[in-house]
Structures are given as C-alpha cells and as structure tokens.
Amino acid sequence: TRRTDTPPEPSTPERVDTRSPRWKAFQASVADRGLTYEEVAAYCESRNRSRPSAMTPANLDRLARHLATDRGREEVLEHAGRVLGDA
C-alpha cells in the first residue's frame, strides 16, 4: 500500500457554545451592565477582535471580566455613542 503524507488539518480554536450556561451567563451580564449584545459585538470588532459568539471560551471569559469593570462598560458605551446618563 502506498501511503500519501497529507498535512494535518489546521487546528481551529474551540468556539464558545452559544447554547451553554457560560453563554447565557455572558448574555445576562451584558444586560445587567445596561449594554446590548450588538453594542458589545461592534465594540469587539472595532478593536479587531471576534464577535463574542465566535470567541473561544477563555476569550469570552476575559471579555466578561472586562465588561464587569466600569472602564469596560464605559468603553462600550463610548463606542456606541451613548453617554453614561443614557444607560
């Protein structure tokens, strides 16, 4: 038998499961901070990052921690053109 050497499939990072408790908790935390998913997604894309639904679980957790800070929330609101009094 002749064996052909084929390169391995490129490894793609695991994306977050949008049906998981982790995803539901992320969505709840976004809403609790007075933000919308689309505002957060647009903010991420403006920083050359993936939309949250395309992130790895580790990156989603990192984003959630950032959004839990006043600075993170303010950055998203500023990007969305909202003033803090609107939220």
Side-chain angles (χ1 to χ4, degrees):
T1 359
R2 185 172 167 220
R3 181 173 173 232
T4 57
D5 289 321
T6 58
E9 291 290 321
S11 174
T12 56
E14 174 192 347
R15 287 170 57 158
V16 68
D17 178 358
T18 56
R19 297 166 301 188
S20 70
R22 171 185 267 134
W23 178 255
K24 290 177 171 103
F26 171 77
Q27 288 185 311
S29 70
V30 166
D32 288 347
R33 296 296 284 160
L35 305 170
T36 67
Y37 174 80
E38 285 306 318
E39 289 171 334
V40 173
Y43 165 76
C44 292
E45 290 175 332
S46 76
R47 299 175 64 86
N48 296 319
R49 305 280 189 225
S50 300
R51 294 175 68 86
S53 61
M55 290 183 174
T56 64
N59 284 345
L60 187 70
D61 291 346
R62 189 175 312 131
L63 175 61
R65 284 192 304 273
H66 179 64
L67 296 177
T69 67
D70 289 340
R71 179 175 173 230
R73 180 175 179 269
E74 289 168 7
E75 287 175 357
V76 173
L77 289 173
E78 183 179 295
H79 180 267
R82 291 172 52 192
V83 293
L84 293 178
D86 288 347

